[in-house]
Amino acid sequence: MAPLISTASGREIFSRPKKLAWVALIALMLAATALRYFRLDAQDIWGDEAFSIFLSGQPLAQIIAGGADTHPPFYPVMLSIWLRLAGESAFATRALSALVGVLIVPLIFGVGKRIANARVAWFAAILATVSPLLIYYSQETRMYELVTVLMLASCLTLIPLYPPSPSPEFSSGEGEGGRAK
């Protein structure tokens, strides 16, 4: 297919298949958003969520000191800022985790494409979109989805630094050791 945008040297930047892939990934992210925000406030706030909200309402110095929680302070600091912007209803407090949970879809797509191929990437992204476990934890005011997003972002960043495997079992024909170029 002809490229939609080309450089002066004629190198293809954004072809029709790439455009369709972006549209499909955005569609998956919209589906993930709908699934994560559906009935977000259907249940009452429970104990651990109430603690997260309480901790995020404390002064920033106390949140960072972390004496009241066993988890690192990044999520409570984010939640503190979020609560100031969005309010403190059950829907508003859980919306941050739901938003972060949507980011899992493109990140897992990127990881799948880097370690295997496009087919694996699409399969992983579709599974992440509809995963009951990921949807469940996206609907809690806790740091679980943020941990998943940070782990996937780390993998996406570090995979190129790891030497490719000579093993042919994951080979996709797209690159050495199965890694797409």
Side-chain angles (χ1 to χ4, degrees):
M1 293 202 153
L4 296 176
I5 301 173
S6 297
T7 62
S9 65
R11 195 177 69 131
E12 180 180 314
I13 294 176
F14 203 57
S15 66
R16 289 198 195 286
K18 284 185 181 180
K19 183 179 180 185
L20 290 175
W22 277 105
V23 169
L25 190 56
I26 290 169
L28 281 179
M29 290 175 65
L30 289 173
T33 302
L35 290 170
R36 282 152 179 79
Y37 280 90
F38 179 70
R39 296 179 41 91
L40 192 59
D41 57 354
Q43 295 182 17
D44 292 331
I45 298 290
W46 63 284
D48 282 355
E49 289 181 303
F51 177 74
S52 291
I53 295 165
F54 167 77
L55 181 61
S56 297
Q58 302 305 307
L60 190 58
Q62 191 172 345
I63 295 172
I64 293 172
D69 198 1
T70 58
H71 303 291
F74 188 49
Y75 183 79
V77 169
M78 281 180 57
L79 185 59
S80 176
I81 295 166
W82 180 262
L83 293 178
R84 289 187 185 118
L85 297 172
E88 293 188 11
S89 68
F91 186 91
T93 59
R94 291 176 176 148
L96 175 62
S97 292
L99 180 65
V100 170
V102 171
L103 297 176
I104 291 172
V105 174
L107 288 170
I108 205 159
F109 177 84
V111 169
K113 192 156 186 176
R114 286 223 173 135
I115 64 172
N117 56 42
R119 182 177 292 160
V120 170
W122 284 114
F123 187 69
I126 291 167
L127 285 179
T129 298
V130 299
S131 168
L133 189 68
L134 291 175
I135 293 168
Y136 177 82
Y137 283 113
S138 287
Q139 295 184 336
E140 289 197 1
T141 309
R142 296 295 284 160
M143 75 290 161
Y144 308 126
E145 294 302 277
L146 181 62
V147 169
T148 305
V149 163
L150 292 174
M151 181 272 307
L152 286 169
S154 297
C155 288
L156 198 55
T157 303
L158 296 174
I159 287 170
L161 303 176
Y162 190 76
S165 169
S167 174
E169 62 215 40
F170 290 116
S171 181
S172 63
E174 296 179 26
E176 197 174 307
R179 261 202 222 134
K181 299 235 177 196

